[in-house]
Amino acid sequence: MSGPAAEMHPNQAAFVEGVDHVLSAWTALELAVEHEWGGHDTHEKRDTLVDEIVDYFDTLVRKRQVPEPSDLEELLLDILDEDFSIALEDSSEKEVARVLCRMFGECKTGNFATVDKMAEEREKRSRGSAAQQSQTMARQGADESSDDGSDSDVSMEE
């Protein structure tokens, strides 16, 4: 096996996964992706955001600097504004930056507790979303079947 993924250290791979999980839980970003506020390539921009965050931390490691949530907040705000046309008013970037910095410190030491927790939460959200979609489809199907009966009565009278 070759390529960057094959050469990635397990700690870094866990961090990349964790960044993706954190971003999937960020309501502002997920709304932007869902509604394509960043244009037709919004999903790709979201994936690029993961890479930009990982690169930010990689650069700090190379420079032997400690990540500061306030610096990451600025990066997040800039990217959300430029790529997704989002001007946050809820200060959620502060929590996202804090979680990412904590998770980075943990992953650096081989502690994947936050990554694992975020993965479990994401799985629960996915299951809940799938169940909600099934219920919505079932209700729509019931509505359509009751509509079909009344429409056929009307068409038969004509």
Side-chain angles (χ1 to χ4, degrees), residues 19-30:
V19 170
D20 188 57
H21 293 320
V22 170
L23 295 183
S24 76
W26 194 2
T27 303
L29 180 61
E30 287 305 295

Side-chain angles (χ1 to χ4, degrees), residues 5 8-18:
M8 191 179 292
H9 190 279
N11 295 7
Q12 185 179 17
F15 180 66
V16 171
E17 177 187 340

Side-chain angles (χ1 to χ4, degrees), residues 2-52:
S2 63
E7 299 169 16
M8 191 179 292
H9 190 279
N11 295 7
Q12 185 179 17
F15 180 66
V16 171
E17 177 187 340
V19 170
D20 188 57
H21 293 320
V22 170
L23 295 183
S24 76
W26 194 2
T27 303
L29 180 61
E30 287 305 295
L31 285 171
V33 172
E34 180 182 334
H35 297 287
E36 295 188 339
W37 294 344
H40 69 282
D41 59 345
T42 300
H43 291 276
E44 291 81 16
K45 288 179 180 179
R46 189 227 178 259
D47 294 341
T48 300
L49 178 56
V50 173
D51 296 337
E52 289 180 68

Side-chain angles (χ1 to χ4, degrees), residues 36-107:
E36 295 188 339
W37 294 344
H40 69 282
D41 59 345
T42 300
H43 291 276
E44 291 81 16
K45 288 179 180 179
R46 189 227 178 259
D47 294 341
T48 300
L49 178 56
V50 173
D51 296 337
E52 289 180 68
I53 292 169
V54 171
D55 289 345
Y56 167 81
F57 282 96
D58 285 346
T59 300
L60 291 177
V61 167
R62 282 194 303 277
K63 292 181 177 181
R64 298 185 188 278
Q65 295 177 341
V66 176
E68 292 293 330
S70 59
D71 294 336
L72 183 55
E73 290 168 22
E74 288 301 315
L75 175 68
L76 294 171
L77 287 172
D78 289 345
I79 293 171
L80 289 180
D81 181 41
E82 291 174 26
D83 291 352
F84 301 97
S85 302
I86 298 175
L88 292 176
E89 296 178 1
D90 65 355
S91 299
S92 58
E93 77 282 356
K94 294 179 186 306
E95 177 66 13
V96 170
R98 187 185 63 75
V99 170
L100 289 171
C101 287
R102 184 182 74 233
M103 187 173 58
F104 174 76
E106 290 174 1
C107 287

